[in-house]
Amino acid sequence: MSLIVQKYGGSSVADAESIKRVAKRIVETRKAGNEVVVAVSAMGDSTDELLDLAHQVTPIPAPRELDMLLTAGERISMALLAMAIKSMGHDARSFTGSQAGMITDARHGQARIVDVTPGRVRDALDEGAIAIVAGFQGFNRGTGDITTLGRGGSDTTAVALAAALDADVCEIYTDVDGIYTADPRVVPRAHKIDRISSEEMLELAANGAKVLYIRAVEYARRHGVTLHVRSSFNNNEGTIVYNESATEETIAAAVRTSTGTIPVQSSDPSNPTQKSETTVEEPLIAGVATDLSEAKITVVGVPDIPGKAAQIFNIVAKTGANIDMIVQNVSAASTGLTDISFTLPKSDGQTVLTTLTAEQSEVGFASLQYDDQIGKLALVGAGMRTNAGVSAKLFTALYEAGINIEMISTSEIRISVVTRADTVNDALRVVHTAFGLDGDEEAVVHAGTGR
Ligand code: ASP
Ligand code: MG
């Protein structure tokens, strides 16, 4: 018997009707002969509503109590889902994060999973029941308190359960058809990716793609979990996120298990896995992501002597901000001074500025500039490793569209550029076209948020 973990995002369980629809889908998976574990998010926008409520009570809610509050959202959806399944004549049991053995560290609001002990989930399965687990929540052994894994954490719950239970596949159900080569709301000719490596997915998620949360992808990569990202609103095959270390057979088996449960419409019904089983030539580019949530800080007039970069980034590190791109200019020989720019989340901007300003005389820089009108574009593809000329093509496409590049950074499988915020969508479209990613038809964009 195969074991399938399914995750349903908030948009898939937004109201009673949706919950019944999802329950039906879960039952079908069970009836196809699989063991089923479900990780579920809070209904619709209810997490945001609870957050609002907390902030109406106090501007700075106590972290422990905030976690207590937010985890109520998933408790509602898990119980309703289990009830719906039971009413359809199938056994189902809901579990909170702690009951399901999601053991985390003690950091409220952004806890990390340190252990998964799903004994009760396993027992439920052994007794023939469907297990419904509250996403996004855990439990710390030291404090004995309830924690949350950070916004969007239900993806991580699902992947962690899949790893601990050695599931055949982890299905992430959302309100879009899968992972796209670019955001279809900006690029109408973006197309769904059939298969993507976890390494590429990690880069896309880290650079602004929102369908999957980066921590879930990291976890899946580390533990060898195959993901199938698909819509809960239709039966189409979605996107398979596979680990490069997995064998072709393991991946094919995961696809078969996943698509075997619900008839696939998008390919030949007599051989639903036909497309996925042929090893396709790896495409040069997997996709393009953009991110408008970052800002740029420039440290102007830094003495160009050993130790200054170390000093600056040690100060920045103390704030906990996640630095992305770093660029240092060639020092002007006459002055012996250089400028260092870096990007960081806008939400960390003020803290970093304040902290750096406090150390200005110590470091000896002239001034700080803050720019929150930047956009970042990242072109991702494992094929880049063996292909010269990708950057030239990218820069040419941007040049021909009259878009100025302000910063550049590269990794083995990614090239990122910073542009003005208001040009980044144009940049996305021209780059998508330049790399031959445009599909033949316009993507069907549901009202979806991709969550
Ligand atoms: N309900 C939580 C949130 O909205 C967790 C999740 O949806 O994955 O962030
Ligand atoms: Mg949610």
Side-chain angles (χ1 to χ4, degrees):
M1 210 191 299
S2 300
L3 197 163
I4 299 184
V5 174
Q6 301 187 326
K7 179 258 173 172
Y8 291 93
S11 58
S12 296
V13 291
D15 50 30
E17 270 324 298
S18 312
I19 288 177
K20 287 197 257 181
R21 186 176 52 80
V22 163
K24 217 182 274 166
R25 198 165 190 129
I26 295 168
V27 165
E28 275 178 51
T29 311
R30 177 80 189 98
K31 284 210 289 213
N34 303 289
E35 293 183 314
V36 191
V37 176
V38 175
V40 67
S41 293
M43 295 169 70
D45 295 328
S46 59
T47 305
D48 290 317
E49 286 156 15
L50 290 172
L51 258 178
D52 273 359
L53 202 53
H55 285 106
Q56 285 172 41
V57 172
T58 165
I60 307 170
R64 178 185 183 277
E65 305 311 325
L66 192 59
D67 274 357
M68 241 1 166
L69 178 73
L70 295 187
T71 51
E74 270 72 14
R75 202 185 259 249
I76 293 170
S77 52
M78 76 178 193
L80 290 171
L81 194 52
M83 279 174 210
I85 295 171
K86 274 180 157 302
S87 78
M88 294 166 69
H90 284 260
D91 197 8
R93 231 163 282 168
S94 64
F95 298 100
T96 62
S98 54
Q99 287 176 323
M102 304 297 304
I103 310 301
T104 71
D105 62 19
R107 263 178 298 178
H108 285 295
Q110 47 173 351
R112 295 223 160 227
I113 297 169
V114 295
D115 195 11
V116 184
T117 55
R120 294 193 63 184
V121 173
R122 188 62 260 176
D123 289 348
L125 295 176
D126 291 344
E127 288 160 29
I130 293 163
I132 314 288
V133 177
F136 166 65
Q137 53 182 260
F139 173 78
N140 179 259
R141 284 188 178 126
T143 60
D145 280 332
I146 302 296
T147 55
T148 59
L149 307 178
R151 296 308 305 271
S154 301
D155 287 356
T156 317
T157 304
V159 174
L161 283 169
L165 294 162
D166 198 20
D168 296 82
V169 62
C170 179
E171 300 181 329
I172 307 282
Y173 283 95
T174 177
D175 58 3
V176 293
D177 280 350
I179 313 289
Y180 278 76
T181 48
D183 184 344
R185 282 163 298 190
V186 180
V187 184
R189 293 211 178 264
H191 67 271
K192 185 185 67 87
I193 304 169
D194 290 334
R195 272 177 166 224
I196 185 169
S197 68
S198 60
E199 183 189 33
E200 291 167 314
M201 191 61 234
L202 209 52
E203 288 280 12
L204 285 178
N207 287 283
K210 289 188 186 63
V211 183
L212 271 183
Y213 270 80
I214 182 159
R215 278 174 59 188
V217 184
E218 276 169 354
Y219 205 102
R221 186 167 162 74
R222 203 158 349 106
H223 296 267
V225 176
T226 307
L227 305 177
H228 183 186
V229 183
R230 65 195 307 195
S231 168
S232 72
F233 295 87
N234 60 47
N235 291 337
N236 299 344
E237 190 173 327
T239 302
I240 299 292
V241 185
Y242 64 92
N243 279 280
E244 300 85 303
S245 58
T247 63
E248 195 62 28
E249 291 94 280
T250 326
I251 300 166
V255 177
R256 217 162 23 237
T257 304
S258 186
T259 54
T261 58
I262 288 155
V264 175
Q265 293 171 339
S266 58
S267 56
D268 178 3
S270 63
N271 185 3
T273 55
Q274 179 192 41
K275 185 176 51 187
S276 313
E277 266 178 334
T278 40
T279 321
V280 274
E281 178 73 19
E282 206 165 38
L284 176 61
I285 301 301
V288 201
T290 54
D291 191 351
L292 285 165
S293 69
E294 300 239 315
K296 177 171 81 174
I297 290 180
T298 303
V299 190
V300 180
V302 181
D304 195 10
I305 54 172
K308 286 297 158 189
Q311 215 176 354
I312 289 170
F313 288 99
N314 273 314
I315 295 166
V316 174
K318 272 190 286 177
T319 68
N322 242 323
I323 301 307
D324 184 29
M325 293 187 184
I326 302 175
V327 169
Q328 178 180 317
N329 287 341
V330 180
S331 115
S334 54
T335 59
L337 297 175
T338 183
D339 296 345
I340 297 179
S341 299
F342 55 91
T343 61
L344 76 177
K346 279 180 193 166
S347 51
D348 291 327
Q350 282 316 316
T351 318
V352 171
L353 284 176
T354 314
T355 315
L356 275 173
T357 305
E359 308 273 348
Q360 177 167 4
S361 50
E362 186 65 25
V363 183
F365 60 83
S367 62
L368 292 175
Q369 283 171 3
Y370 186 66
D371 179 357
D372 60 3
Q373 292 303 307
I374 61 163
K376 213 177 66 184
L377 176 146
L379 183 69
V380 174
M384 267 181 216
R385 265 199 198 102
T386 50
N387 222 290
V390 175
S391 1
K393 195 168 180 174
L394 170 65
F395 303 153
T396 306
L398 294 174
Y399 157 66
E400 285 171 357
I403 294 165
N404 190 41
I405 303 170
E406 300 181 13
M407 289 169 102
I408 300 169
S409 99
T410 62
S411 83
E412 268 204 303
I413 66 160
R414 172 187 49 80
I415 306 173
S416 304
V417 296
V418 165
T419 69
R420 284 294 88 203
D422 57 6
T423 61
V424 79
N425 282 346
D426 286 336
L428 180 58
R429 282 183 287 264
V430 299
V431 169
H432 196 267
T433 304
F435 282 90
L437 296 172
D438 291 355
D440 300 332
E441 48 197 75
E442 295 211 350
V444 187
V445 184
H446 312 290
T449 58
R451 295 304 309 146

